[in-house]
Amino acid sequence: MSKLILAVESSCDETACAISRDGREILADVVYSQADMHALYGGVVPEIASRKHVEKISLVAEQAVRQAGIKLSDIDAVAATCAPGLIGALLVGANFAKATALALNKPFVPVHHIRGHVAANYIAFPELEPPMTALVASGGHTVILDVVDYTHMEVVGASRDDAAGEAFDKIGRVLGLPYPGGAALDRLSKEGDAAKYPLPLAIIKDHPYDFSFSGLKTAAVNLIHNAQQKGQEVRTEDLAAAVSQTVAHSVVPRVIAAAKDKGRKRICAAGGVAANSTLRGLLERECEKAGLELYLPPLKLCGDNGAMIACQAYFEYMAGNIGDAAQNCYATMPASMQVCQFENKL
């Protein structure tokens, strides 16, 4: 029997709500972005983000129900992102969803944000099924996952410090680019020469699948500051191309190697950094060389959205991963963990 899931995503600076049918079809997807507001500060201000979620969450949810053309009573379960993310922002969405579930007498499904990014691929590619290797790269996360099943994932590698998206945004800010810096860097990189500014790869010796993007970020920022102190010009397009290429060459070989190591024939990418054109191009070329199937979601599904949470929530719901009114939220949590069971692991 068909299942309808209403899901809320509020882990950072997007207030989003979506309604899915059976984890593949999206009936409604409403996103309110705070990007313009946080651009004034050059990055997300957690307290401001939380307050704006409080203002918008009810309106966004009401709009999603109208867009889906259903009654609230038609919903089979209510879900929300409960980890990882900005804790204040997470709590707004989770408490709204728990209250809605309680009022409707429906189950509440806590969802892991990174698992949600993986699930964006199920929306774009209804034929896609695990097992596969997944790359989730965003402002807060750079993770390689072995997706054994819809709700069984193992972390193969991850960033030890900064995520790729954080490096993009910080470098973009120092260059004076508009927030978010990653999107602006990507546009400029298409006109640049990556060979002009050699930068260090974000690799860690003796840890073949892990990353460290702090060195790349520091090298690029120091390059900019040194040039400014000497009165020299840094050609923004060339540095943007160099940063994009360095991130792509840091990530893609490790994703390919992880897939081969795990015996996977399919690779998917997700998260805001998966929208980067240099990364997407290198993934396409290297997967073709290796004979691997590649799934890249459309750009609109790369950033944070409620649709991906609604999709993953369906699989968590069907697996019996249900939370309750006492369900908490967590700023950090490995994607291998079930959110509803995390409390027992602490």
Side-chain angles (χ1 to χ4, degrees):
M1 186 176 178
S2 183
K3 301 294 183 183
L4 296 179
I5 311 289
L6 176 125
V8 173
E9 154 61 24
S10 66
S11 63
C12 191
D13 61 338
E14 274 86 24
T15 312
C17 186
I19 297 172
S20 71
R21 176 184 284 128
D22 296 340
R24 301 282 180 172
E25 181 184 359
I26 301 301
L27 305 184
D29 185 18
V30 180
V31 180
Y32 171 78
S33 176
Q34 304 175 20
D36 290 344
M37 180 189 316
H38 295 288
L40 297 172
Y41 308 95
V44 177
V45 181
E47 177 65 18
I48 293 175
S50 299
R51 289 177 181 274
K52 189 56 65 172
H53 286 314
V54 172
E55 290 178 21
K56 297 295 183 179
I57 187 67
S58 294
L59 297 174
V60 169
E62 289 171 7
Q63 187 176 343
V65 172
R66 288 197 302 271
Q67 190 180 100
I70 63 171
K71 300 188 297 291
L72 203 52
S73 58
D74 295 331
I75 296 295
D76 292 287
V78 183
T81 305
C82 289
L86 301 176
I87 193 65
L90 287 169
L91 285 167
V92 174
N95 285 332
F96 176 85
K98 287 191 292 183
T100 303
L102 186 64
L104 295 173
N105 195 27
K106 302 291 184 179
F108 171 71
V109 184
V111 178
H112 195 289
H113 183 78
I114 293 177
R115 291 179 176 224
H117 274 303
V118 174
N121 285 276
Y122 303 140
I123 302 167
F125 308 103
E127 74 281 5
L128 178 61
E129 296 180 350
M132 60 190 172
T133 297
L135 166 67
V136 179
S138 65
H141 314 282
T142 306
V143 184
I144 300 174
L145 295 172
D146 182 38
V147 183
V148 181
D149 203 345
Y150 292 107
T151 60
H152 179 192
M153 304 179 194
E154 297 296 333
V155 176
V156 179
S159 178
R160 298 292 187 87
D161 40 53
D162 299 331
E166 202 277 337
F168 276 143
D169 288 341
K170 178 62 180 294
I171 295 167
R173 183 167 63 190
V174 176
L175 283 170
L177 300 179
Y179 174 83
L185 274 175
D186 188 27
R187 289 191 295 270
L188 287 170
S189 69
K190 298 171 185 178
E191 305 168 18
D193 177 9
K196 181 76 177 292
Y197 299 112
L199 293 169
L201 292 172
I203 59 177
I204 300 177
K205 186 178 179 181
D206 300 327
H207 294 276
Y209 300 125
D210 285 352
F211 312 98
S212 172
F213 288 97
S214 61
L216 167 62
K217 182 180 74 173
T218 300
V221 170
N222 285 345
L223 187 154
I224 298 165
H225 287 164
N226 288 338
Q228 290 172 343
Q229 290 165 5
K230 296 174 182 178
Q232 299 172 348
E233 178 188 1
V234 173
R235 190 168 186 272
T236 306
E237 294 86 348
D238 294 338
L239 185 56
V243 172
S244 292
Q245 179 174 283
T246 302
V247 169
H249 282 275
S250 297
V251 170
V252 173
R254 280 149 193 79
V255 177
I256 300 292
K260 290 180 177 179
D261 184 38
K262 296 295 183 179
R264 304 307 183 200
K265 301 299 183 183
R266 291 183 288 272
I267 288 176
C268 74
V273 175
N276 180 272
S277 58
T278 303
L279 178 65
R280 291 170 81 94
L282 187 60
L283 271 171
E284 288 171 346
R285 294 191 296 275
E286 294 303 313
C287 282
E288 185 176 358
K289 282 184 192 176
L292 299 169
E293 297 177 33
L294 175 63
Y295 296 86
L296 291 172
L299 301 189
K300 69 177 183 178
L301 288 175
C302 288
D304 292 350
N305 60 83
M308 68 186 198
I309 302 302
C311 178
Q312 183 61 27
Y314 167 78
F315 297 111
E316 302 289 352
Y317 173 65
M318 297 303 289
N321 297 324
I322 307 300
D324 56 29
Q327 174 69 51
N328 208 343
C329 293
Y330 306 92
T332 61
M333 179 188 295
S336 57
M337 294 295 303
Q338 301 288 357
V339 180
C340 61
Q341 299 171 357
F342 190 64
E343 192 78 36
N344 297 328
K345 302 293 183 180
L346 295 178

